[in-house]
Amino acid sequence: MSSYAKRLWLEEDLGDDYRWSYRVSAVLFSGRSTYQEVDLVDTPTWGKVLLLDGKMQSTEADEQVYHELLVHPPLLHHKNPKRVFIMGGGEGATAREVLRHASVEKVVMVDIDQVVTDFCSRHLERNTDAFRDPRLTLINDDARVQLEVAPDESFDIIISDLADPLDGGPCYQLYTQEFYRNVVLRKLAPGGIFITQSGPAGFLSCKEVFSSIHATLRSVFPAVTAYTQHIPSFCDVWGYNMAFRDADQTLLTEEQLDSRIAQQLGGRPLTFLDGATFTGLRQLNKVVREALESEKEVYTADSARFIHGSGLKA
Amino acid sequence: MSSYAKRLWLEEDLGDDYRWSYRVSAVLFSGRSTYQEVDLVDTPTWGKVLLLDGKMQSTEADEQVYHELLVHPPLLHHKNPKRVFIMGGGEGATAREVLRHASVEKVVMVDIDQVVTDFCSRHLERNTDAFRDPRLTLINDDARVQLEVAPDESFDIIISDLADPLDGGPCYQLYTQEFYRNVVLRKLAPGGIFITQSGPAGFLSCKEVFSSIHATLRSVFPAVTAYTQHIPSFCDVWGYNMAFRDADQTLLTEEQLDSRIAQQLGGRPLTFLDGATFTGLRQLNKVVREALESEKEVYTADSARFIHGSGLKA
Amino acid sequence: MSSYAKRLWLEEDLGDDYRWSYRVSAVLFSGRSTYQEVDLVDTPTWGKVLLLDGKMQSTEADEQVYHELLVHPPLLHHKNPKRVFIMGGGEGATAREVLRHASVEKVVMVDIDQVVTDFCSRHLERNTDAFRDPRLTLINDDARVQLEVAPDESFDIIISDLADPLDGGPCYQLYTQEFYRNVVLRKLAPGGIFITQSGPAGFLSCKEVFSSIHATLRSVFPAVTAYTQHIPSFCDVWGYNMAFRDADQTLLTEEQLDSRIAQQLGGRPLTFLDGATFTGLRQLNKVVREALESEKEVYTADSARFIHGSGLKA
Amino acid sequence: MSSYAKRLWLEEDLGDDYRWSYRVSAVLFSGRSTYQEVDLVDTPTWGKVLLLDGKMQSTEADEQVYHELLVHPPLLHHKNPKRVFIMGGGEGATAREVLRHASVEKVVMVDIDQVVTDFCSRHLERNTDAFRDPRLTLINDDARVQLEVAPDESFDIIISDLADPLDGGPCYQLYTQEFYRNVVLRKLAPGGIFITQSGPAGFLSCKEVFSSIHATLRSVFPAVTAYTQHIPSFCDVWGYNMAFRDADQTLLTEEQLDSRIAQQLGGRPLTFLDGATFTGLRQLNKVVREALESEKEVYTADSARFIHGSGLKA
């Protein structure tokens, strides 16, 4: 009571019958866009937390891990990544990690919500430098539209940092076979790599969307690597799928990966990821592995598998 | 979900095994003093709410009723109230109601916490005029000290708008027989009236502090009138005790009270209180009446009856 | 932690943005009927609590007050109550209070849910004697149907202990002008009295249903008396409306009421109600009084005023 | 509302400012021992949940994974496990998994709380057969005492399924260097293997107890293998440490492990564990790996590193 009396709680449903709550010590900033409410709060548990529509989007405590795993596996597996396209990622952390790679010359980041990108570029201290980096082009628009219209241009890396393909959600189209085949694959340069965050991937949750995203990518790309990691503030293990454009691209060994990290990042090692870590993350457990192997459902423009109550990374 | 997504809740314990929570739509202002945290939040349920140390102090939805019942019964029963002393009341609403009486010439309000009075004078729109009224003298100090030292001065009305006499709380001394006899009674001018908020007064809660405050006052003053009213944001019926300095003072009839309201308040009737209302409020139910009649415990400098987990008006 | 470690909470919405929770120390019994779930739980705050569909229906801590106020005002105002009809009241406490009156010869209690009446007759110790009283006839059916069909029979007292006239709720028809005129009024014997629980009646909540129930009764009966009392476990002040069948019936004075209690109840006084109490309860405050006076809306078979999220006494 | 109206929630603190809640659809059984409260509840989220002192102990949804990882790695790495000692494990699931191994001839399970073992042997359907297995000897006593006194006896496998070494908790002594050296090591037969659940092991939580348990074991045993897996109902990644008695014992390859599973378990494969899974689980990420490598603190009879607010497996 003496040192911390305010009893403001943020409550987040994790399912219909299941929720968690964490104390909020201060509401630092609040705003509202056409699309959503945007808040930055401070918490004893997670440090500063970015909320979109009252949902945890990213926390000071663990966003580094989430973003390292989204960005560095594809950039490290590419021989010489120069041009990178980010779908979503308005928070700026994805761009921040991309820009650590010395070879990168151009980053196009397309996030629909200008209020979010303005807010984060001013208030998320960890990411403000990234927003000011001259290599970054920030566009507030529909990511699909911008990727399609990019004139005569192709990218070495395309990163999808979007909300899960939720029931009725705006992002569903960006997870379909048609989008992967007609837009993503065409916009990847030779040797290009696509990665997408892929929703919850625990042994209880991997069939919500992770397995179908994986199956959809396998139906389009010659090689797809799935890996997972527990992200505490998402209250689950999280999945990623990395797809190679060409059949001759291969996964690096632990030693090769460590060596690439040393070369590409100017001597600044990553916090969480190294060669040994990545080998562990892509060695999936039996339940998840069998779920991926047996998944028949592919997301198409006509069909959907909906996720309810979890996978809230928007 | 569409129009109101933020799910920030303020949680308040009502007892060890009992609590309530209400949604907070915005944290409007926050501050911290030597004594406590001070916040103003907006809520769908109560409108704007002032919080001290995270506890509901007063709400836009029902503070008018609480303050009318604290201020107007004593001022209306006094023949010509000119000088008024307020112990506590930093929020400003008690002063606001006092200043509605045309006869009032001077109000001395003593609240220990300057951060609270500064905050409320700027941010509580309903009370800003009261803080600027030239008849008001605001002092940030211990109410007891200021009442004792007020040189050669006496008051027509003394209002105690303090926290309950909680276990170890700073206000306990201001509810004792010694304080009433040695300070309050001496500082009341002939015909003077003292009133104090008196904590929870429901049939389940009236023995927590209400009955002992009543017994203590009866041991000092010639006539004490108790009355109660349910205050929704306090989650209980609340008690008041009004004490007359002199034996010849009497309660007004319904008609006399209505007539006094018409005279004193410049033609602006009260929202909640009128003659008929007051008659009803002081007609206590059997359980509460018997609790007051049978109460033997008097608060003295040496003894205390403590209240736990309720009566949080601070 | 040491003595009471279980952290089971029962959570009840009090509105869209407002709820309370109380600890449950034990789930004593559980059942399910065609209509609802039925549970009896023990709690540190309220003692044993009867829940219907997870909502607090009645608590050991304050049901006595609720039921005294529902039953004794009409029975005490009647000269010689012999025949009583109870609509709802499956818990048994209403019947228990009725049966305390020595003059009562027959009580017909009609509650739709046999699971509730079976459950309460076995598990609510305070009420088991009432269920076994030979003067009680218990019928599990629709109260309206049973009241209509009761052959050639009339009642001195009709008590409505039903759920509020909720949006879409099954009880709405039992609060309409048509029902009062065509059924209740006809089934009352000369000198008969009707009473109904009337929902939340605080200064913030009295227009939800209380004022319209009052207006509806006034449109049918020659005299209607409203009174209110805070019921802690309902988290609000609660309203009652008592209607006289005939124009020559009058309210008793405090002394007459005390004298009737002494006569009728075999020397066992009530816990909460006496003459002085009743005078206080029917002396309404200005806000509620004006709400009743100005209410134009009468519940008819065609119209409704709905209540949302409160007034959940079912 | 229609199909599931009861709103009973079980609330569990995950830290001082952080908690979760899940709906309880039924309290199936409740009891109390000298040591703790014991409850079995049903929940929509986790299926049946065993609670000790109101804390989640094990759930139908994921206990299989927790117990497979505690039991099968040591039994599969042992050439011919015949005699097994279980410290704790009163729920019965650890014994159940041990008894799946055809080579096992004797299992001694020592859990202090007879109420828990009686309760689980009757009410946890998944484990009732294990409790009745003639190879099982169940003793309700202090595990340390029983392990020390076991006359002239040694074990092939010793499994520690105890509460974390919590501040002031009864289990701390069973995690010390002295206990491992003087009791466990002496009671292991040649080729013997010890395993202990080792608390939270996520990148944010691995220094709470996991790294020190690991360091303590390494200071006593010639080879210690750490591995981790996310257990949803523990709301974190969980750690295990497996220690070999002798320097010549080695880890199996994926293929060897798969082959052992086929031999030992009578053709019934495990749900979660296989060779590939185990390789992934012991390939720790950089943060956890470095935490284990750099940990200097060893639990001794005199010192402790305490865990607060998490790691509640008791």
Side-chain angles (χ1 to χ4, degrees), chain A residues 4 9 14 16-23 44-46 61-62 65 202-204 229-232 235-237 254 269-277 279-281 283-287 289-290, chain D residues 4 9 14 16-23 44-46 61-62 65 202-204 229-232 235-237 254 269-277 279-281 283-287 289-290:
Chain A
Y4 179 63
W9 291 83
L14 298 169
D16 284 345
D17 301 291
Y18 176 35
R19 69 186 182 207
W20 67 1
S21 311
Y22 45 93
R23 264 170 115 149
T45 307
W46 306 107
D62 63 7
V65 171
F203 60 84
L204 296 178
Q229 166 59 31
H230 177 244
I231 305 292
C235 204
D236 206 344
V237 169
E254 289 187 25
L270 296 171
T271 300
F272 184 80
L273 185 73
D274 63 6
T277 301
T279 310
L281 302 188
Q283 185 94 4
L284 304 175
N285 64 59
K286 185 180 175 185
V287 173
R289 211 168 60 233
E290 291 181 353
Chain D
Y4 180 61
W9 292 83
L14 298 170
D16 285 345
D17 302 290
Y18 177 35
R19 66 185 184 209
W20 67 0
S21 310
Y22 45 93
R23 266 170 114 148
T45 306
W46 306 107
D62 61 8
V65 171
F203 60 85
L204 296 178
Q229 167 60 31
H230 178 243
I231 304 293
C235 204
D236 206 345
V237 168
E254 290 187 25
L270 298 171
T271 301
F272 184 80
L273 186 73
D274 63 6
T277 301
T279 310
L281 300 188
Q283 184 91 4
L284 304 175
N285 65 58
K286 184 180 174 185
V287 172
R289 211 168 61 231
E290 291 181 353

Side-chain angles (χ1 to χ4, degrees), chain B residues 17-23 44-46 65 203 230 232 237 254 270 272 274 276-277 280 283 285-286 289, chain C residues 17-23 44-46 65 203 230 232 237 254 270 272 274 276-277 280 283 285-286 289:
Chain B
D17 301 292
Y18 176 34
R19 67 185 183 208
W20 68 1
S21 310
Y22 44 92
R23 267 170 115 148
T45 307
W46 305 107
V65 172
F203 60 85
H230 177 244
V237 168
E254 289 187 24
L270 296 171
F272 184 80
D274 63 6
T277 301
Q283 184 92 5
N285 65 59
K286 184 179 175 187
R289 212 169 59 232
Chain C
D17 302 290
Y18 175 36
R19 67 187 185 208
W20 66 2
S21 310
Y22 46 93
R23 268 171 113 147
T45 307
W46 306 108
V65 172
F203 59 86
H230 177 244
V237 169
E254 289 186 26
L270 297 171
F272 184 80
D274 63 5
T277 301
Q283 184 92 3
N285 65 59
K286 185 180 174 184
R289 212 168 59 231

Side-chain angles (χ1 to χ4, degrees), chain C residues 138-152:
Chain C
L138 168 59
I139 302 170
N140 291 117
D141 194 1
D142 182 308
R144 181 195 179 103
V145 169
Q146 285 295 324
L147 191 56
E148 283 179 322
V149 301
D152 304 321

